[in-house]
Amino acid sequence: MILREYKVSFRNNKAVGADSVHGTSYQNLIECSKKGAKRFINWLVVFATDERDAIKNADEMVHDYLESHLGLTA
């Protein structure tokens, strides 16, 4: 099983797509934005075996860990 880096796109803090990336800058693993009082994740880099796994991993990471730490709302 080979793990690759994927940049996962989000819509309303829900993972919606993933693209394989190579040579990611480890200073840029996540991008968030704020609209009014709400915070959103725009994209997140994760390791996964394929696009489907990347979307699953990103959703789990956001909802199990990042959501409470970043004050996100769905």
Side-chain angles (χ1 to χ4, degrees):
M1 174 186 317
I2 297 173
L3 292 177
R4 296 185 181 114
E5 295 170 82
Y6 287 85
K7 185 176 182 178
V8 180
S9 302
F10 283 77
R11 184 175 298 130
N12 291 322
N13 294 329
K14 173 96 174 117
V16 294
D19 293 310
S20 181
V21 294
H22 302 286
T24 300
S25 166
Y26 291 101
Q27 294 176 340
N28 299 308
L29 297 177
I30 186 171
E31 180 181 274
C32 298
S33 61
K34 189 172 181 180
K35 293 179 184 175
K38 295 183 179 181
R39 298 177 100 185
F40 297 94
I41 292 180
N42 299 331
W43 53 262
L44 172 68
V45 175
V46 298
F47 287 95
T49 56
D50 57 29
E51 290 176 22
R52 183 183 217 171
D53 188 41
I55 291 170
K56 179 181 132 312
N57 290 350
D59 257 341
E60 288 177 359
M61 183 181 290
V62 168
H63 296 294
D64 293 346
Y65 181 72
L66 294 175
E67 190 171 62
S68 62
H69 293 285
L70 295 176
L72 303 175
T73 57

